Short mmCIF file of all heavy atoms in Angstrom, two decimals:
data_model
loop_
_atom_site.label_atom_id
_atom_site.label_comp_id
_atom_site.label_asym_id
_atom_site.label_seq_id
_atom_site.Cartn_x
_atom_site.Cartn_y
_atom_site.Cartn_z
N PHE A 1 -29.51 8.77 26.17
CA PHE A 1 -29.65 8.30 24.78
C PHE A 1 -28.57 8.92 23.90
O PHE A 1 -27.90 8.24 23.13
CB PHE A 1 -31.05 8.66 24.27
CG PHE A 1 -31.30 8.27 22.83
CD1 PHE A 1 -31.67 6.97 22.51
CD2 PHE A 1 -31.17 9.19 21.80
CE1 PHE A 1 -31.91 6.60 21.19
CE2 PHE A 1 -31.39 8.83 20.49
CZ PHE A 1 -31.76 7.54 20.18
N GLU A 2 -28.39 10.24 24.02
CA GLU A 2 -27.41 10.94 23.20
C GLU A 2 -25.99 10.45 23.50
O GLU A 2 -25.17 10.29 22.60
CB GLU A 2 -27.51 12.45 23.46
CG GLU A 2 -26.47 13.28 22.72
CD GLU A 2 -26.59 13.17 21.21
OE1 GLU A 2 -27.69 12.90 20.72
OE2 GLU A 2 -25.56 13.36 20.53
N ALA A 3 -25.69 10.20 24.77
CA ALA A 3 -24.35 9.77 25.15
C ALA A 3 -24.02 8.38 24.63
O ALA A 3 -22.84 8.03 24.49
CB ALA A 3 -24.21 9.80 26.67
N ASN A 4 -25.04 7.60 24.32
CA ASN A 4 -24.82 6.23 23.87
C ASN A 4 -24.93 6.06 22.36
O ASN A 4 -24.97 4.94 21.86
CB ASN A 4 -25.82 5.28 24.56
CG ASN A 4 -25.42 4.97 25.99
OD1 ASN A 4 -24.58 4.11 26.22
ND2 ASN A 4 -26.01 5.69 26.93
N ARG A 5 -24.95 7.17 21.63
CA ARG A 5 -25.01 7.06 20.18
C ARG A 5 -23.68 6.61 19.62
O ARG A 5 -22.61 6.98 20.11
CB ARG A 5 -25.40 8.39 19.55
CG ARG A 5 -26.79 8.88 19.86
CD ARG A 5 -27.85 7.85 19.51
NE ARG A 5 -28.04 6.90 20.61
CZ ARG A 5 -28.27 5.60 20.45
NH1 ARG A 5 -28.30 5.06 19.26
NH2 ARG A 5 -28.43 4.83 21.48
N ALA A 6 -23.75 5.77 18.61
CA ALA A 6 -22.53 5.26 17.97
C ALA A 6 -22.01 6.26 16.95
O ALA A 6 -22.78 6.90 16.23
CB ALA A 6 -22.81 3.91 17.30
N ARG A 7 -20.70 6.38 16.89
CA ARG A 7 -20.03 7.20 15.89
C ARG A 7 -18.96 6.33 15.24
O ARG A 7 -18.27 5.56 15.91
CB ARG A 7 -19.36 8.42 16.54
CG ARG A 7 -20.33 9.34 17.27
CD ARG A 7 -21.18 10.15 16.30
NE ARG A 7 -22.01 11.12 17.00
CZ ARG A 7 -23.23 10.89 17.44
NH1 ARG A 7 -23.77 9.69 17.25
NH2 ARG A 7 -23.94 11.82 18.04
N GLY A 8 -18.83 6.47 13.95
CA GLY A 8 -17.79 5.69 13.27
C GLY A 8 -17.38 6.36 11.98
O GLY A 8 -18.19 7.00 11.31
N ALA A 9 -16.10 6.23 11.64
CA ALA A 9 -15.62 6.82 10.39
C ALA A 9 -14.47 5.98 9.85
O ALA A 9 -13.65 5.46 10.61
CB ALA A 9 -15.15 8.26 10.61
N VAL A 10 -14.46 5.82 8.54
CA VAL A 10 -13.36 5.15 7.84
C VAL A 10 -12.97 6.01 6.65
O VAL A 10 -13.84 6.44 5.88
CB VAL A 10 -13.76 3.74 7.36
CG1 VAL A 10 -12.73 3.19 6.37
CG2 VAL A 10 -13.90 2.78 8.53
N ARG A 11 -11.70 6.25 6.52
CA ARG A 11 -11.18 6.99 5.37
C ARG A 11 -9.91 6.31 4.89
O ARG A 11 -9.00 6.07 5.68
CB ARG A 11 -10.87 8.44 5.75
CG ARG A 11 -10.39 9.30 4.56
CD ARG A 11 -10.18 10.74 4.94
NE ARG A 11 -9.08 10.93 5.87
CZ ARG A 11 -9.19 11.22 7.15
NH1 ARG A 11 -10.39 11.35 7.70
NH2 ARG A 11 -8.13 11.37 7.92
N PHE A 12 -9.87 5.93 3.61
CA PHE A 12 -8.66 5.29 3.10
C PHE A 12 -8.55 5.49 1.60
O PHE A 12 -9.48 5.92 0.93
CB PHE A 12 -8.62 3.80 3.46
CG PHE A 12 -9.61 2.94 2.72
CD1 PHE A 12 -9.27 2.30 1.53
CD2 PHE A 12 -10.88 2.75 3.22
CE1 PHE A 12 -10.18 1.50 0.86
CE2 PHE A 12 -11.81 1.95 2.57
CZ PHE A 12 -11.45 1.32 1.37
N GLU A 13 -7.38 5.16 1.08
CA GLU A 13 -7.13 5.26 -0.35
C GLU A 13 -6.36 4.04 -0.82
O GLU A 13 -5.67 3.38 -0.02
CB GLU A 13 -6.34 6.53 -0.68
CG GLU A 13 -5.05 6.65 0.10
CD GLU A 13 -4.40 8.01 -0.07
OE1 GLU A 13 -5.12 8.99 -0.30
OE2 GLU A 13 -3.15 8.08 0.04
N VAL A 14 -6.52 3.72 -2.08
CA VAL A 14 -5.77 2.61 -2.67
C VAL A 14 -5.07 3.12 -3.93
O VAL A 14 -5.52 4.09 -4.57
CB VAL A 14 -6.67 1.40 -3.02
CG1 VAL A 14 -7.33 0.84 -1.76
CG2 VAL A 14 -7.74 1.78 -4.05
N HIS A 15 -3.96 2.45 -4.28
CA HIS A 15 -3.16 2.85 -5.43
C HIS A 15 -2.75 1.62 -6.22
O HIS A 15 -2.63 0.53 -5.67
CB HIS A 15 -1.90 3.60 -4.98
CG HIS A 15 -2.17 4.79 -4.12
ND1 HIS A 15 -2.60 5.99 -4.62
CD2 HIS A 15 -2.08 4.95 -2.77
CE1 HIS A 15 -2.76 6.85 -3.63
NE2 HIS A 15 -2.46 6.24 -2.49
N ALA A 16 -2.51 1.82 -7.50
CA ALA A 16 -1.99 0.75 -8.35
C ALA A 16 -0.47 0.83 -8.34
O ALA A 16 0.11 1.89 -8.61
CB ALA A 16 -2.52 0.89 -9.77
N ARG A 17 0.16 -0.32 -8.00
CA ARG A 17 1.62 -0.38 -8.00
C ARG A 17 2.07 -1.69 -8.61
O ARG A 17 1.63 -2.76 -8.18
CB ARG A 17 2.17 -0.31 -6.56
CG ARG A 17 2.00 1.01 -5.87
CD ARG A 17 2.64 0.97 -4.50
NE ARG A 17 2.18 2.06 -3.67
CZ ARG A 17 2.14 2.03 -2.35
NH1 ARG A 17 2.53 0.93 -1.72
NH2 ARG A 17 1.72 3.07 -1.67
N GLU A 18 2.91 -1.58 -9.60
CA GLU A 18 3.48 -2.76 -10.26
C GLU A 18 2.40 -3.75 -10.67
O GLU A 18 2.51 -4.95 -10.46
CB GLU A 18 4.51 -3.42 -9.34
CG GLU A 18 5.66 -2.50 -8.99
CD GLU A 18 6.65 -3.15 -8.02
OE1 GLU A 18 6.33 -4.25 -7.49
OE2 GLU A 18 7.71 -2.57 -7.79
N GLY A 19 1.32 -3.24 -11.21
CA GLY A 19 0.26 -4.08 -11.72
C GLY A 19 -0.72 -4.61 -10.70
O GLY A 19 -1.60 -5.41 -11.02
N ALA A 20 -0.61 -4.18 -9.44
CA ALA A 20 -1.52 -4.65 -8.38
C ALA A 20 -2.03 -3.46 -7.59
O ALA A 20 -1.39 -2.40 -7.55
CB ALA A 20 -0.81 -5.63 -7.46
N THR A 21 -3.19 -3.62 -6.97
CA THR A 21 -3.76 -2.56 -6.15
C THR A 21 -3.35 -2.76 -4.70
O THR A 21 -3.50 -3.85 -4.14
CB THR A 21 -5.30 -2.56 -6.25
OG1 THR A 21 -5.67 -2.33 -7.61
CG2 THR A 21 -5.91 -1.46 -5.38
N ARG A 22 -2.83 -1.70 -4.10
CA ARG A 22 -2.34 -1.75 -2.73
C ARG A 22 -3.00 -0.65 -1.90
O ARG A 22 -3.27 0.43 -2.40
CB ARG A 22 -0.82 -1.59 -2.68
CG ARG A 22 -0.08 -2.71 -3.39
CD ARG A 22 -0.15 -3.99 -2.59
NE ARG A 22 0.58 -5.08 -3.24
CZ ARG A 22 0.03 -6.04 -3.95
NH1 ARG A 22 -1.30 -6.03 -4.13
NH2 ARG A 22 0.75 -7.00 -4.49
N ARG A 23 -3.21 -0.95 -0.65
CA ARG A 23 -3.82 0.03 0.25
C ARG A 23 -2.82 1.10 0.63
O ARG A 23 -1.65 0.83 0.89
CB ARG A 23 -4.31 -0.68 1.51
CG ARG A 23 -5.26 0.16 2.36
CD ARG A 23 -5.41 -0.45 3.74
NE ARG A 23 -4.24 -0.13 4.56
CZ ARG A 23 -3.96 -0.73 5.71
NH1 ARG A 23 -4.72 -1.72 6.12
NH2 ARG A 23 -2.92 -0.38 6.42
N GLY A 24 -3.29 2.34 0.69
CA GLY A 24 -2.47 3.44 1.16
C GLY A 24 -2.84 3.81 2.58
O GLY A 24 -3.11 2.95 3.42
N ALA A 25 -2.93 5.10 2.85
CA ALA A 25 -3.24 5.58 4.20
C ALA A 25 -4.64 5.16 4.61
O ALA A 25 -5.58 5.18 3.80
CB ALA A 25 -3.11 7.10 4.25
N LEU A 26 -4.79 4.77 5.88
CA LEU A 26 -6.07 4.31 6.42
C LEU A 26 -6.32 4.97 7.76
O LEU A 26 -5.45 5.00 8.63
CB LEU A 26 -6.06 2.78 6.59
CG LEU A 26 -7.21 2.17 7.40
CD1 LEU A 26 -8.55 2.38 6.70
CD2 LEU A 26 -6.97 0.69 7.65
N HIS A 27 -7.52 5.52 7.91
CA HIS A 27 -7.93 6.10 9.19
C HIS A 27 -9.25 5.48 9.61
O HIS A 27 -10.21 5.43 8.82
CB HIS A 27 -8.11 7.62 9.07
CG HIS A 27 -8.77 8.23 10.28
ND1 HIS A 27 -8.08 8.50 11.44
CD2 HIS A 27 -10.06 8.60 10.50
CE1 HIS A 27 -8.91 9.02 12.34
NE2 HIS A 27 -10.12 9.09 11.79
N GLU A 28 -9.32 4.98 10.84
CA GLU A 28 -10.54 4.41 11.40
C GLU A 28 -10.82 5.07 12.75
O GLU A 28 -9.89 5.35 13.51
CB GLU A 28 -10.41 2.90 11.62
CG GLU A 28 -10.14 2.09 10.36
CD GLU A 28 -9.89 0.63 10.67
OE1 GLU A 28 -9.24 0.35 11.72
OE2 GLU A 28 -10.32 -0.22 9.89
N SER A 29 -12.09 5.29 13.05
CA SER A 29 -12.45 5.80 14.37
C SER A 29 -13.81 5.27 14.77
O SER A 29 -14.63 4.89 13.91
CB SER A 29 -12.45 7.33 14.38
OG SER A 29 -13.46 7.84 13.54
N GLY A 30 -14.06 5.24 16.06
CA GLY A 30 -15.34 4.77 16.56
C GLY A 30 -15.59 3.31 16.27
O GLY A 30 -14.67 2.49 16.30
#
């Protein structure tokens, strides 16, 4: 049961550039 547990993580940031919002660094796992 423990070995089959799901793990997941998302970390990201967005920034305003030239009047629009753009995605910056993105990290995904699991």
Side-chain angles (χ1 to χ4, degrees):
F1 178 82
E2 176 62 27
N4 282 279
R5 294 305 86 218
R7 301 286 186 270
V10 167
R11 183 177 67 253
F12 71 93
E13 55 189 28
V14 299
H15 304 282
R17 291 183 197 154
E18 299 177 351
T21 300
R22 297 288 181 260
R23 195 195 78 194
L26 168 65
H27 170 79
E28 299 175 323
S29 65

